[in-house]
Amino acid sequence: MKKGLILSLILVLGITFVFSATLTVWCSEKQVDFINRIGQEFTRDTGVNVVVQMVTFGDIKSKFLTAAQAGEGPDIIVGAHDWVGELVINGLLEPIPFSAIELDKFAESAIQGFTYQGKLYGVPYATEAVALFYNRDYVSDDEVPTNISDLKELAKEFTTSETLGFAVTANDFYHVYGFFTGFGGYVFGYDPKTGYNVSDIGLNNEGSIKAGNLLKSFFDEGIMPQGINYYIMDSMFMDGLAAMIINGPWAVKAYLDAGIDFGVIPLTKLEVEPGKTMKPFVGVQGLMINSRSANKAFAMEFVINYLATSEGIYEFYIADPRLPSRQDVTQIIDEQGGPVPTEIVAAFTESAAGGEPMPNIPEMAGVWQPMADALNNIINGTQTPEAALNDAVSKIKASIK
């Protein structure tokens, strides 16, 4: 399949052009080495050079928006499905024919994440959702909390001047979305037939206000200190100084390498009220092609037949162990092993299965900053949860208009 397409490309584009072409890929630090290796294979097969550039994940979308609109930037980006709507509206993503990939090998939710207005704009390689990590030096498997009350009680037991009983990045909407959904909050109303209703915003409803009050209570009750952030939380868990945290599968390998004996519980098993459990955001990671690239045909070939094969996605998994989007990668993991124990993969899979996909519509871009501002104001006590969330929704509505 690869050789046939390569020969066709050479015939169509000409040998001189092929051997002078270069594909540029933007990805995060963990993916640079193996994409370089696969790129070398692609170069041997095609003569097309592959240049892999590390860009901080949080900067890829904004830098791509600027560069691509100026006719510059990479041919391929590695990023999140919720970027799709904004990038498509700006005319920056090339649609990928459904017939070009082995649809039956990919998780349906992963394909849906990169589908926008009936077209596929990325090939997924992983799915993810946050879950509750617990350090067995503090919390045994039999003591794992099943509700917020139990979590608080355990957290207080292990909260000292040197240790954290519990932590979550409380000003990061992605990490705390499960608290909102647990009480009945939501971003946009959704109907399977008509899609998202951006005029229906549920981030200041009664349930969302309850979530805001709960998050603030972790600080008011001395469970989490002011100034706690992701990097502090992450490093303290890695150093064995935190009993429980909420984090994602991207952190697993570092904790294993640090020798931490930990378990993972899906957030879908953690009740905020009797009968009401959390539903975390589900993210999908994938490969997208710049619609303004001069090398779209080669970019399509590299993405589909090199990076998004079962072997390629296994390499993504080894470098950054999130949940593989291809179901046939499981067999490779069984045969060749992987960095994550089976029970941890199963816990994250369950958390993602019961979560809610992040909306991939462009209006979602206007949600993150207002919610970050609201969460900061709630945590710092500069606004009540109700006032902060009302302000956030007003800002979101204004950005949509």
Side-chain angles (χ1 to χ4, degrees):
M1 181 177 179
K2 291 180 184 177
K3 290 182 179 178
L5 179 53
I6 291 164
L7 289 173
S8 298
L9 288 169
I10 291 174
L11 288 172
V12 171
L13 299 173
I15 292 174
T16 302
F17 176 81
V18 169
F19 284 87
S20 64
T22 297
L23 287 180
T24 302
V25 182
W26 281 3
C27 65
S28 57
E29 181 181 5
K30 294 179 180 179
Q31 299 150 349
V32 170
D33 289 344
F34 81 84
I35 293 180
N36 262 321
R37 289 198 305 272
I38 296 175
Q40 290 168 6
E41 177 188 345
F42 185 73
T43 301
R44 287 195 299 269
D45 289 343
T46 66
V48 175
N49 293 317
V50 177
V51 175
V52 184
Q53 297 177 346
M54 192 280 285
V55 180
T56 302
F57 183 81
D59 294 334
I60 291 177
K61 186 184 75 168
S62 60
K63 290 185 176 180
F64 179 72
L65 273 165
T66 301
Q69 290 184 96
E72 301 172 351
D75 303 281
I76 298 165
I77 59 171
V78 181
H81 82 278
D82 59 308
W83 302 355
V84 167
E86 184 179 3
L87 296 179
V88 170
I89 289 296
N90 281 279
L92 302 179
L93 291 185
E94 182 71 11
I96 298 169
F98 286 104
S99 60
I101 67 172
E102 299 174 288
L103 274 177
D104 60 328
K105 300 288 176 61
F106 289 86
E108 184 178 352
S109 60
I111 293 296
Q112 288 176 347
F114 279 97
T115 301
Y116 181 75
Q117 296 183 342
K119 294 182 179 180
L120 184 67
Y121 285 97
V123 182
Y125 70 83
T127 59
E128 62 188 17
V130 295
L132 181 71
F133 288 72
Y134 62 97
N135 185 328
R136 291 191 176 100
D137 288 344
Y138 300 89
V139 181
S140 70
D141 292 342
D142 295 333
E143 296 175 314
V144 175
T146 58
N147 58 61
I148 291 297
S149 295
D150 289 346
L151 183 145
K152 281 187 170 184
E153 184 177 345
L154 268 174
K156 289 175 181 176
E157 181 180 344
F158 300 116
T159 299
T160 71
S161 60
E162 297 180 349
T163 60
L164 289 172
F166 168 74
V168 62
T169 313
N171 62 352
D172 187 317
F173 185 49
Y174 174 82
H175 282 85
V176 300
Y177 184 62
F179 290 90
F180 285 80
T181 55
F183 287 110
Y186 55 90
V187 182
F188 300 119
Y190 181 77
D191 183 284
K193 294 181 180 179
T194 58
Y196 290 101
N197 178 4
V198 298
S199 64
D200 177 13
I201 301 173
L203 294 175
N204 62 341
N205 65 12
E206 182 180 353
S208 291
I209 293 168
K210 282 185 178 181
N213 280 305
L214 174 57
L215 289 169
K216 188 173 187 303
S217 72
F218 287 114
F219 295 88
D220 292 346
E221 295 174 27
I223 295 171
M224 290 197 294
Q226 290 291 339
I228 187 75
N229 59 35
Y230 179 86
Y231 300 102
I232 294 172
M233 175 193 77
D234 180 56
S235 62
M236 289 189 72
F237 194 84
M238 198 179 309
D239 292 339
L241 299 176
M244 297 175 289
I245 65 170
I246 290 176
N247 208 347
W250 53 83
V252 168
K253 190 173 184 299
Y255 299 159
L256 291 170
D257 291 345
I260 303 300
D261 181 16
F262 67 92
V264 176
I265 295 296
L267 288 191
T268 49
K269 288 187 174 180
L270 191 62
E271 291 184 333
V272 294
E273 288 182 333
K276 296 181 179 180
T277 58
M278 295 187 178
K279 298 175 184 178
F281 265 142
V282 178
V284 187
Q285 303 289 320
L287 302 139
M288 294 165 270
I289 297 170
N290 185 345
S291 63
R292 303 186 184 185
S293 164
N295 303 306
K296 286 187 287 189
F298 288 119
M300 198 83 68
E301 165 71 357
F302 187 48
V303 165
I304 295 170
N305 287 321
Y306 286 79
L307 294 178
T309 62
S310 57
E311 295 84 1
I313 288 177
Y314 177 69
E315 292 285 347
F316 273 100
Y317 170 72
I318 293 298
D320 187 11
R322 307 176 193 226
L323 309 173
S325 63
R326 283 186 68 123
Q327 296 154 351
D328 53 357
V329 176
T330 304
Q331 183 178 349
I332 300 177
I333 295 172
D334 289 341
E335 293 172 353
Q336 301 184 29
V340 179
T342 304
E343 65 272 15
I344 293 178
V345 175
F348 278 112
T349 301
E350 186 175 342
S351 201
E356 292 185 2
M358 288 184 289
N360 67 0
I361 56 177
E363 289 83 358
M364 189 65 191
V367 172
W368 299 109
Q369 191 58 53
M371 285 304 296
D373 293 340
L375 290 167
N376 274 315
N377 290 340
I378 290 169
I379 292 164
N380 297 331
T382 55
Q383 282 186 298
T384 65
E386 183 174 5
L389 293 171
N390 282 338
D391 282 353
V393 169
S394 294
K395 291 175 184 176
I396 294 167
K397 288 180 177 179
S399 74
I400 291 172
K401 289 180 181 179

